[in-house]
Amino acid sequence: MELLSVVYKQYRWPFIAVIVLNLLSAALGIGIIAYINHELIVSINASVAVLPTFLGLLLLLMAVTLASQLALTLLGHHFVWKLRGQFIKRILDTHIQRIEQIGSAQLLAGLTSDVRNITIAFVRLPELIQGIILTIGSAAYLAWLSPGMLAVTAIWVAVTIIGGWLLVSRVYSHMAKLRETEDRLYADYQTVIDGRKELALNRSRAQQIYDTVYQEDANAYRHHIVRADTFHLSAVNWSNIMMLGAIGMVFFMANGLGWANTAVAATYSLMLLFLRTPLLQAVGALPTLLSAQVAFNKLRSFQLAEWREHFSASSAIADWQTLELRDLVFHYGESGFNVGPINLTLKRGELVFLIGGNGSGKSTLAMLLTGLYQPVSGTILLDGEAITDIERYRQLFSAVFTDVHLFDRLIGPGTQPTSPALVQQWLERLKMQDKLKLEGNKVLNLQLSKGQSKRLALLLAAAEQRDILLLDEWAADQDPHFRRVFYRELLPWLQQSGKTIFAISHDDHYFIHADRLLEMREGELYELTGSERERATLDAVQRTDTGR
């Protein structure tokens, strides 16, 4: 399996050490069978002195077996811990466009179901490895006792394994389909949770989603899990019954055909009984390993950024004066909507408003400006020099997006704690000193109204003390009084403190406060000046609503 190959490449010597421990465990198990055969079956006059040696061998076998299983389990859990951490880091390093293409439901399924399946597989992996090693070692010992009987027994066991594998292969096919169905179920869960208010108001829609969306996916999940379990149980029962049949065949060959004496037949039977549990466990472990391979393939299919251990530590660009977007073009593949070519020059310390109808490309321009979207063509320049380090460029920006996410830590430049004086100053200006509970730089209460959440998000962004502040429809969720405070007090105060502000807005009453007024129309950018700017009312903004 490819998954095991990856583990071997990353943990070669620990993996080899674990295999050696398993080999030692198998050798001890076979050695005890040989000891029983020689001292307790063949020997007629076994003395009491045999018992301490026998008990000592059992204790040694128990210790070595437990050590080998624990070693492999610890190795597996360490691999899963590393895999999960790498997966999170790769998500953080992946371009925003790719994350949006995958969707949060699939990523959450990957972090929960896929990682869990891989974890379970590593817990069961010792059973598979021990079953294989014990089978090979036992075959060698049985060949020494009676090659003829081993040949027949080997054919019988081979038929058992092949039959079990054919059944398990059906398990794999249903597991693969099960994983795809699980993605759809996670999307259904997200719909029910995120749309809970609308569904509470419209019970017909709630019933439609329950009956035709959720139930369809849930039934598909049930179908595949029942089929997978059916084939798995069939494989276990097949192996169990065939192993009992092998014992009967041994005594038939010994007593009926005269191929060996009763002592050899008893040893054969004892060995088969000894192998029965490891073989059944190995067959039982196969579906979990197959499921883990499906999960591992799914994680790889996300095509996230390559693993990098460290975060970039480059310092922010300082003392810049002009930022230019030159001929930037961006395409949305599915919808066919294009943005650009965009040509825009921002000067340090400017207050710029961007307006435009719904779907005109305003948010896309904001993502291009901040470097979160990668244009298909065009260049970003600072003071006339093209940007080559996009991660360093992004450190110029703090942002409050429309789909704001609240973090519970206030951080200043880099990862330094925020100045308490600055936090207090912002709390007073945002009228939040009695709303937020802080413990050092940690926010203790994030259960806020939408308007208050936007204010906290602005505090989080301002605390970072970066040069450019992007505000996407920030005032849309504020009451009229605080909207006036925002445009007439907060924005001028931020500008006076040296910030460059790029604000997306529909509040035509406050356009007068901007140094420049830009408008997006069907993916193209225009600057409004003179009489055009004077006529930029809400009705004028709504005249174009055909783009993205």
Side-chain angles (χ1 to χ4, degrees), residues 79-347:
F79 173 78
V80 171
W81 166 80
K82 186 176 180 180
L83 177 69
R84 183 187 289 114
Q86 288 182 351
F87 189 60
I88 290 288
K89 180 62 166 59
R90 290 174 65 198
I91 290 175
L92 293 172
D93 292 342
T94 300
H95 292 312
I96 297 297
Q97 299 108 294
R98 180 58 190 158
I99 298 297
E100 291 177 348
Q101 288 171 0
I102 298 171
S104 59
Q106 288 199 56
L107 290 173
L108 285 172
L111 284 168
T112 52
S113 296
D114 291 333
V115 173
R116 182 181 66 245
N117 288 339
I118 294 173
T119 303
I120 293 171
F122 275 109
V123 173
R124 301 291 304 274
L125 186 58
E127 299 172 357
L128 179 65
I129 291 180
Q130 282 194 332
I132 294 172
I133 292 174
L134 281 172
T135 300
I136 295 172
S138 300
Y141 178 64
L142 293 176
W144 178 73
L145 288 177
S146 174
M149 288 178 61
L150 174 64
V152 175
T153 306
I155 293 173
W156 186 279
V157 173
V159 171
T160 303
I161 293 174
I162 292 171
W165 176 253
L166 290 174
L167 291 169
V168 167
S169 65
R170 300 296 299 274
V171 175
Y172 180 82
S173 65
H174 284 286
M175 285 292 184
K177 295 174 183 176
L178 198 64
R179 181 60 188 83
E180 298 301 323
T181 307
E182 202 165 37
D183 277 346
R184 298 197 299 272
L185 277 175
Y186 269 88
D188 297 342
Y189 302 154
Q190 197 168 23
T191 298
V192 170
I193 294 171
D194 293 346
R196 58 192 179 278
K197 294 189 291 291
E198 291 84 350
L199 296 177
L201 288 173
N202 191 330
R203 302 305 290 169
S204 297
R205 182 183 295 277
Q207 182 179 357
Q208 180 197 39
I209 288 176
Y210 182 81
D211 290 341
T212 64
V213 179
Y214 164 74
Q215 284 287 16
E216 181 178 338
D217 294 333
N219 286 334
Y221 185 91
R222 181 184 62 180
H223 169 79
H224 292 301
I225 194 68
V226 168
R227 295 297 184 277
D229 286 345
T230 300
F231 286 113
H232 173 219
L233 292 173
S234 298
V236 171
N237 286 324
W238 163 263
S239 303
N240 190 9
I241 294 169
M242 289 295 286
M243 288 302 290
L244 288 175
I247 295 173
M249 287 296 298
V250 163
F251 279 100
F252 172 76
M253 287 184 289
N255 298 330
L257 302 179
W259 289 8
N261 57 38
T262 304
V264 171
T267 304
Y268 256 82
S269 300
L270 186 62
M271 185 64 76
L272 289 173
L273 287 173
F274 176 67
L275 284 177
R276 180 183 168 205
T277 298
L279 278 177
L280 288 176
Q281 288 178 337
V283 172
L286 273 176
T288 64
L289 292 172
L290 296 174
S291 180
Q293 184 63 50
V294 172
F296 187 70
N297 292 339
K298 187 66 179 180
L299 293 180
R300 290 185 53 178
S301 72
F302 289 145
Q303 298 178 1
L304 301 175
E306 292 297 322
W307 158 248
R308 293 181 298 170
E309 183 176 359
H310 302 290
F311 287 87
S312 59
S314 55
S315 58
I317 302 169
D319 301 325
W320 63 277
Q321 297 302 317
T322 61
L323 188 162
E324 181 184 357
L325 307 184
R326 183 180 295 174
D327 297 325
L328 254 59
V329 176
F330 184 82
H331 296 316
Y332 283 94
E334 295 181 359
S335 64
F337 178 70
N338 299 331
V339 173
I342 300 293
N343 288 284
L344 170 66
T345 299
L346 293 179
K347 296 179 181 179

Side-chain angles (χ1 to χ4, degrees), residues 362-363 399-405 450 453-454 457 470-477 504:
K362 302 187 302 299
S363 295
V400 180
F401 297 104
T402 52
D403 53 345
V404 60
H405 179 84
K450 215 166 188 180
S453 296
K454 285 286 188 72
L470 171 72
L471 302 173
D472 191 351
E473 299 285 2
W474 187 90
D477 299 305
I504 298 175

Side-chain angles (χ1 to χ4, degrees), residues 274-516:
F274 176 67
L275 284 177
R276 180 183 168 205
T277 298
L279 278 177
L280 288 176
Q281 288 178 337
V283 172
L286 273 176
T288 64
L289 292 172
L290 296 174
S291 180
Q293 184 63 50
V294 172
F296 187 70
N297 292 339
K298 187 66 179 180
L299 293 180
R300 290 185 53 178
S301 72
F302 289 145
Q303 298 178 1
L304 301 175
E306 292 297 322
W307 158 248
R308 293 181 298 170
E309 183 176 359
H310 302 290
F311 287 87
S312 59
S314 55
S315 58
I317 302 169
D319 301 325
W320 63 277
Q321 297 302 317
T322 61
L323 188 162
E324 181 184 357
L325 307 184
R326 183 180 295 174
D327 297 325
L328 254 59
V329 176
F330 184 82
H331 296 316
Y332 283 94
E334 295 181 359
S335 64
F337 178 70
N338 299 331
V339 173
I342 300 293
N343 288 284
L344 170 66
T345 299
L346 293 179
K347 296 179 181 179
R348 189 183 185 101
E350 280 190 314
L351 172 57
V352 178
F353 283 3
L354 175 66
I355 65 174
N358 294 333
S360 61
K362 302 187 302 299
S363 295
T364 303
L365 173 57
M367 300 293 276
L368 290 169
L369 175 65
T370 53
L372 294 176
Y373 277 3
Q374 302 299 305
V376 295
S377 62
T379 311
I380 302 177
L381 305 97
L382 274 180
D383 295 331
E385 295 186 9
I387 294 296
T388 56
D389 188 345
I390 195 66
E391 290 191 5
R392 188 181 182 203
Y393 169 74
R394 288 174 186 164
Q395 294 184 50
L396 290 172
F397 294 88
S398 291
V400 180
F401 297 104
T402 52
D403 53 345
V404 60
H405 179 84
L406 296 179
F407 298 95
D408 66 350
R409 295 292 194 283
L410 290 162
I411 62 171
T415 57
Q416 298 299 315
T418 308
S419 165
L422 177 65
V423 173
Q424 188 59 39
Q425 193 176 28
W426 267 100
L427 287 174
E428 292 174 0
R429 288 185 175 271
L430 292 170
K431 312 298 182 188
M432 293 286 285
Q433 60 268 42
D434 298 326
K435 304 292 184 181
L436 285 183
K437 296 179 182 178
L438 300 177
E439 186 178 274
N441 281 341
K442 183 177 182 180
V443 182
L444 299 180
N445 59 322
L446 295 178
Q447 301 300 319
L448 303 169
S449 68
K450 215 166 188 180
Q452 291 170 345
S453 296
K454 285 286 188 72
R455 297 188 202 183
L456 173 56
L458 180 56
L459 171 59
L460 290 166
E464 296 174 359
Q465 300 181 44
R466 297 190 171 186
D467 289 349
I468 306 175
L469 185 60
L470 171 72
L471 302 173
D472 191 351
E473 299 285 2
W474 187 90
D477 299 305
Q478 305 301 321
D479 59 65
H481 169 72
F482 201 81
R483 188 175 301 180
R484 186 162 50 248
V485 171
F486 170 69
Y487 285 107
R488 293 182 178 178
E489 299 180 20
L490 287 182
L491 290 184
W493 179 56
L494 282 166
Q495 192 177 15
Q496 291 167 12
S497 65
K499 302 297 181 188
T500 304
I501 304 164
F502 192 89
I504 298 175
S505 174
H506 282 311
D507 295 322
D508 53 298
H509 298 301
Y510 300 102
F511 291 167
I512 190 174
H513 296 288
D515 295 329
R516 296 165 61 194

